[in-house]
Amino acid sequence: MSLAELICPAGTPAALRTAVDAGADAVYCGFQDATNARNFPGLNFTPDELAGAVVHAHARGTKLLLALNTYPPAGKVDLWRQAADLGARLGVDAFIVADMGVADYIARTHPGIRLHLSVQAAASSPEAIRYYCDHFGVRRVVLPRILTIPEIRQIKREIPCEIETFIFGNHGLMVEGRCSLTNYLTGQSTNMDGVCSPAGDVEYARHADGSMSSQLAGFTIDRFGPQEKAGYPTICKGRYTAPHRPEGYYAFEEPVSLNLSRLLPDLIEAGVHAFKIEGRQRSKSYVRGVVRAFRAAVDDIRAGRQANMADLVALTEGQKQTQGAFETKKWR
């Protein structure tokens, strides 16, 4: 397995074809149910669509990774087992899993298919990662977005599997796999139902002064001026008022995009095998632009050339970018 494999999002069959044609080494997607953490209306794949996607991807030398990265409720694991069985029959190249029971079932039932540990498992220590490798044969871990490059380098020395890191897209500060904020308001869980701010609970209200409110389950999450772009109402990225901040402020995190384009050489040097782009809920134009930019960047870096990533700023959430926890100056 070569370093710097480019893993790209595919929320729909059209987005998958776009990612493949733009140069993805692998695409990741999910079924239209609670087995994946992007279970939104209008997204994801039917069994027939996934069958066609596998054929399309493989014909162009691209791998297809199936996300089964949510946690089954007690006594309701059949949906996840059926999804794994179907994915295996259709010829997916790997399963992305979070739940130990799902990992165990796949390891026993489909031992010839690679297991990748989802970021939703929140495994950020060598001990935790080795547990999954030893017990379930995990071949790759997707690391949480809270680690510095020196920490990634040290983890790589202590684990027997490949490393995948996010390089572009949503910058979530919540610990993946452990967020309960949406469930608090809507009764649906990101980690068990695959929905963060379900669309049925989202509303927008235009006010007389031209401003707009975004609401979730009847609660106002944010308010935008007449010229501001209204964002999707997720609790962690909402603005709130308080006695000491009556003007409103981001209590959890500001809506910014993760962009590690400048750190790609350092991530490769640290031993990262695969770069993951977030965005299964994004448009085809977003997927095309981001995948093309990173395809060219990875190819330039491999060839010893300077990569140009200036066009990515137009695709960032909130028009702001961050390198998050990755941007430490203490490389060694």
Side-chain angles (χ1 to χ4, degrees), residues 134-155:
D134 293 344
H135 287 78
F136 312 115
V138 163
R139 303 280 295 280
R140 176 182 295 175
V141 58
V142 185
L143 291 179
R145 286 162 277 196
I146 56 173
L147 298 170
T148 66
I149 291 180
E151 289 171 335
I152 292 173
R153 182 184 294 109
Q154 184 59 42
I155 287 174

Side-chain angles (χ1 to χ4, degrees), residues 9-20 27 45 279-280 282-284 287:
T12 64
L16 182 141
R17 293 189 294 270
T18 298
V20 170
V27 290
F45 290 68
R280 279 193 284 155
R282 307 284 187 170
S283 67
K284 288 193 301 180
V287 171

